[in-house]
Amino acid sequence: MIPENQRKWWKEAVVYQIYPRSFMDSDDDGKGDLKGITSKLDYIKDLGIDVIWLGPVYKSPNDDMGYDISDYYDIMDDFGTMEDFDELLAGMKERGLRLVMDLVVNHSSDEHQWFREALKSKDNRYRDYYIWKQPLNGDPPNDWLSFFSGSAWELDETSGEYYLHLFSKKQPDLNWENPELRQEIYKMMKFWLDKGVDGFRMDVISLISKYQDFPSLNEGQNNFRNIYANGPRVHEFLQEMNREVLQHYDIMTVGEAVGVPLDEAPLYVGADRNELNMIFHFEHIDIDRVPGQFFTHRNWPLTELKKIIVEWDQVLRDNGWNSIYLGNHDWPRTVSRFGNDTKYRVESAKMLATLIMSLRGTPYVYNGDEIGMTNCHFNSIDEFKDIQTLNAYNEAADNGADLDEFIRGQNRFSRDHARTPMQWDDSKNAGFSEADSTWLKVNPNYTDINVAADVENPNSILNYYRKLIRLRKDNPDLVYGEMELIEEGNEKVFAFYRRFENKTKIVLLSFSDDTTEIPIDDDLSDGKMLISNYDKPSPTGNSIVLDPYEAMIIDLE
Ligand code: TEU
């Protein structure tokens, strides 16, 4: 039995991430909106979801698609009004769905009132809400780089000082050293919690405390995010936030933890730390990139993925809680990266779903993954909308790089792959919008890959997700049980036990385009197949032959 005080609703929940701009357009302006989301709540409920994580919907000039907030207390015009928000929240409560908001407080927009004031003069009351430095011999204060290309410092011509922006120059970093700023943030968090929201996903929360000596990147350039992360006061700030805000509500929190290594994770989520419930680490999501280089691919062995998953499971085993995800709005599509998005799209999307639903931790499903949406082909730079791609393109152009090569690279790496509109049916714009054109192109494969087609087809990815989520709900041992690898060194099959009290389950996942055989110590003849992505009889004996991307969960009891 799991002690009652360790059982939590957010541990047993399945979270669905919505990218609001691309989910559903109710007013046919080519952009998704809140009313659009409200109109799809039954769909989300039917999937078996408990919690929605809503990407940022606050007022924003959209330099970084809502991650640049100009008013934390209001809704972006593109998405509707506060009334629409209240209606969405009420619709969710009615259906027993909870809402987690994106909290973006490492930086604000440069159009936020605070920054506008700060620009007015060096002694303005809001100046210290941001991070300013003198030029160094006429250059930026140091060699820090932005996540979105170029220097992380921008000159304010009026005062002659530079301000820090780890992301775009329209996203000045907030100065958490300033206690008044922190109080403003806590007040704003309470505003949303008092409205009834159920928690926060905290954007790049690992970056909020800066090393005050701003250490040079020097050789560490490639891994600059590790240098920015885990600053000296980050835990003090999170504990203060917990004391002042979080602990007064029954909510869930998950911090986006860029640059947080395994051994520091317990400091953020340890049960006795009073900081956050979960973090999103980056170790597995980065696996196909050369360390620190967003746009350089590397091949990765399956054993490495297993190692990362097992290590994180272990380190949070008795202290804290894990979050499980394979995709979000910052990465290309899950099935295109970890599976096979052509011949075995359906099989591999189901296999990857089986993985996230059978690990210990809280699983997060990114919208569209439940129908196996894939990467999209972008023909030219005009078709991309993401600032990360656009800035990198300009930088490549300035450096005289081969721009065709750059576009080919972005067809693998761009964040826009995950942001194309949700594919609802095979009508115009995939049923997302009646507009003449949508803010980002619709993936032309919507005629085959869409929700309506998946609803109809009993063997669809969507129906597999529904079944899988129900299975997880019926088997808390899948949530809480111990994990033990089978055939650790196998490069084609990810196989493991989940054990809980006297229950044992075996999870078998093929990551291969070929058939593979895997030996198992147990006799499977007595086992009961709980779910599988192929229509085959339950396996018997001590060895199983798996078809390409075959996945199954077997109950050994
Ligand atoms: O992402 C932070 C982050 O680390 C990403 O920049 C990531 O490294 C990159 O996307 C990999 O390609 C968060 C948000 O999720 C992202 O959408 C925002 O752009 C960013 O913060 C700034 O708010």
Side-chain angles (χ1 to χ4, degrees):
M1 280 285 286
I2 313 135
E4 266 316 303
N5 64 356
Q6 283 180 29
R7 287 191 76 160
K8 298 277 187 247
W9 62 263
W10 44 266
K11 293 185 178 175
E12 296 174 19
V14 175
V15 184
Y16 187 74
Q17 180 191 351
I18 291 185
Y19 194 70
R21 183 163 292 268
S22 298
F23 197 63
M24 183 66 200
D25 179 14
S26 75
D27 59 357
D28 298 327
D29 63 353
K31 300 164 198 151
D33 48 46
L34 294 175
K35 277 190 182 307
I37 297 169
T38 306
S39 72
K40 296 294 184 187
L41 289 178
D42 287 331
Y43 166 75
I44 296 166
K45 183 72 190 172
D46 284 349
L47 187 54
I49 297 300
D50 308 286
V51 177
I52 292 176
W53 152 24
L54 189 63
V57 294
Y58 315 93
K59 270 232 162 19
S60 164
N62 285 308
D63 191 53
D64 183 21
M65 299 306 160
Y67 284 92
D68 47 320
I69 296 169
S70 54
D71 185 347
Y72 291 96
Y73 291 91
D74 206 350
I75 300 294
M76 182 191 304
D77 291 336
D78 286 344
F79 294 165
T81 61
M82 193 60 94
E83 242 175 27
D84 297 340
F85 177 84
D86 292 339
E87 198 179 280
L88 169 63
L89 187 57
M92 289 183 61
K93 301 257 172 216
E94 243 167 62
R95 292 167 178 83
L97 290 164
R98 301 194 204 234
L99 179 60
V100 163
M101 300 283 279
D102 223 305
L103 182 79
V104 189
V105 290
N106 173 69
H107 43 267
S108 74
S109 163
D110 66 338
E111 296 182 33
H112 193 286
Q113 202 52 36
W114 297 334
F115 195 72
R116 291 182 182 212
E117 285 293 318
L119 283 179
K120 286 184 179 164
S121 76
K122 282 191 191 172
D123 48 22
N124 187 283
R125 150 159 196 230
Y126 294 99
R127 183 80 174 179
D128 188 49
Y129 275 30
Y130 297 90
I131 299 166
W132 304 91
K133 284 258 180 270
Q134 295 291 331
L136 189 67
N137 309 321
D139 287 331
N142 73 3
D143 60 358
W144 280 26
L145 294 170
S146 153
F147 280 76
F148 296 156
S149 304
S151 171
W153 298 96
E154 182 71 11
L155 180 64
D156 162 36
E157 305 244 342
T158 318
S159 65
E161 288 186 333
Y162 282 84
Y163 65 86
L164 179 71
H165 61 91
L166 295 182
F167 295 89
S168 104
K169 64 181 180 197
K170 284 182 68 62
Q171 292 168 296
D173 279 55
L174 288 163
N175 178 20
W176 276 71
E177 300 291 318
N178 183 316
E180 277 172 36
L181 177 263
R182 301 205 299 275
Q183 287 305 322
E184 291 269 15
I185 291 173
Y186 304 152
K187 189 176 98 194
M188 177 271 289
M189 292 171 73
K190 287 184 203 150
F191 168 83
W192 290 99
L193 292 169
D194 291 340
K195 261 185 177 291
V197 314
D198 302 284
F200 295 109
R201 172 269 185 189
M202 303 185 186
D203 194 61
V204 287
I205 205 69
S206 49
L207 306 184
I208 57 175
S209 162
K210 301 330 192 242
Y211 287 94
Q212 295 298 298
D213 58 347
F214 296 86
S216 163
L217 302 180
N218 290 327
E219 295 304 300
Q221 260 197 17
N222 281 342
N223 255 327
F224 61 80
R225 55 197 192 186
N226 299 350
I227 294 179
Y228 304 154
N230 313 306
R233 298 182 70 190
V234 67
H235 299 294
E236 177 196 333
F237 294 155
L238 288 174
Q239 282 166 15
E240 181 184 81
M241 179 197 282
N242 190 299
R243 230 173 20 248
E244 304 236 350
V245 187
L246 306 176
Q247 68 170 15
H248 305 288
Y249 301 84
D250 177 24
I251 54 173
M252 68 168 254
T253 52
V254 52
E256 192 200 20
V258 68
V260 176
L262 186 69
D263 53 340
E264 292 199 36
L267 298 177
Y268 286 87
V269 299
D272 54 347
R273 297 282 300 171
N274 298 318
E275 296 188 20
L276 304 174
N277 298 140
M278 291 169 260
I279 57 173
F280 290 125
H281 74 78
F282 277 59
E283 277 199 71
H284 66 299
I285 204 79
D286 258 353
I287 198 167
D288 65 349
R289 306 295 166 92
V290 171
Q293 295 178 28
F294 295 141
F295 300 150
T296 312
H297 180 262
R298 70 181 273 267
N299 290 322
W300 49 277
L302 181 61
T303 43
E304 194 177 314
L305 181 67
K306 294 186 199 181
K307 183 165 177 281
I308 294 169
I309 289 180
V310 169
E311 279 178 352
W312 280 83
D313 179 70
Q314 282 306 304
V315 85
L316 302 176
R317 180 177 181 268
D318 301 313
N319 196 16
W321 190 248
N322 208 357
S323 61
I324 310 291
Y325 74 106
L326 289 175
N328 62 34
H329 63 294
D330 287 337
W331 300 92
R333 281 285 169 182
T334 304
V335 72
S336 300
R337 295 180 77 200
F338 294 99
N340 172 323
D341 66 1
T342 52
K343 189 166 175 200
Y344 297 112
R345 184 185 67 89
V346 173
E347 291 79 0
S348 62
K350 290 178 182 174
M351 183 278 287
L352 294 166
T354 316
L355 174 62
I356 65 167
M357 294 301 165
S358 59
L359 291 171
R360 172 161 46 190
T362 300
Y364 292 74
V365 180
Y366 181 63
N367 58 195
D369 280 358
E370 77 277 20
I371 55 166
M373 278 176 63
T374 67
N375 283 356
C376 184
H377 185 79
F378 296 92
N379 296 303
S380 69
I381 191 66
D382 312 322
E383 290 191 335
F384 290 101
K385 299 291 172 241
D386 179 24
I387 186 163
Q388 188 179 55
T389 295
L390 301 180
N391 282 3
Y393 179 86
N394 290 334
E395 189 177 64
D398 288 348
N399 294 340
D402 178 344
L403 296 176
D404 292 334
E405 178 69 31
F406 179 87
I407 299 295
R408 272 195 295 282
Q410 291 302 305
N411 268 303
R412 192 198 271 268
F413 301 124
S414 179
R415 306 195 297 184
D416 279 338
H417 290 292
R419 301 177 180 186
T420 63
M422 182 76 184
Q423 295 164 204
W424 293 105
D425 58 38
D426 62 3
S427 70
K428 180 181 175 188
N429 295 326
F432 161 72
S433 171
E434 293 283 329
D436 289 339
S437 65
T438 53
W439 77 276
L440 179 66
K441 75 188 277 189
V442 174
N443 192 324
N445 67 17
Y446 76 90
T447 47
D448 294 323
I449 303 173
N450 62 63
V451 170
D454 263 27
V455 168
E456 291 297 309
N457 174 1
N459 292 321
S460 66
I461 302 171
L462 179 69
N463 281 315
Y464 188 83
Y465 261 91
R466 288 176 172 164
K467 198 170 155 198
L468 196 55
I469 294 174
R470 213 172 316 126
L471 183 72
R472 189 174 169 94
K473 290 281 143 70
D474 293 343
N475 292 276
D477 49 320
L478 284 176
V479 176
Y480 293 103
E482 293 295 324
M483 176 185 193
E484 189 195 319
L485 284 181
I486 301 169
E487 282 257 303
E488 194 175 331
N490 193 315
E491 291 291 3
K492 292 184 169 174
V493 181
F494 194 162
F496 52 91
Y497 293 105
R498 294 297 308 278
R499 294 187 205 278
F500 186 72
E501 292 167 356
N502 53 357
K503 292 178 195 284
T504 301
K505 293 187 170 53
I506 291 188
V507 182
L508 298 173
L509 308 163
S510 165
F511 274 72
S512 173
D513 288 359
D514 305 318
T515 36
T516 46
E517 188 165 0
I518 175 161
I520 308 279
D521 286 342
D522 312 78
D523 183 357
L524 297 172
S525 310
D526 301 333
K528 183 173 159 232
M529 178 107 85
L530 297 176
I531 193 162
S532 143
N533 61 348
Y534 276 77
D535 189 15
K536 292 203 303 203
S538 217
T540 52
N542 289 88
S543 163
I544 303 184
V545 176
L546 294 172
D547 277 312
Y549 297 101
E550 186 162 0
M552 61 181 87
I553 305 178
I554 300 166
D555 199 349
L556 291 180
E557 282 294 323

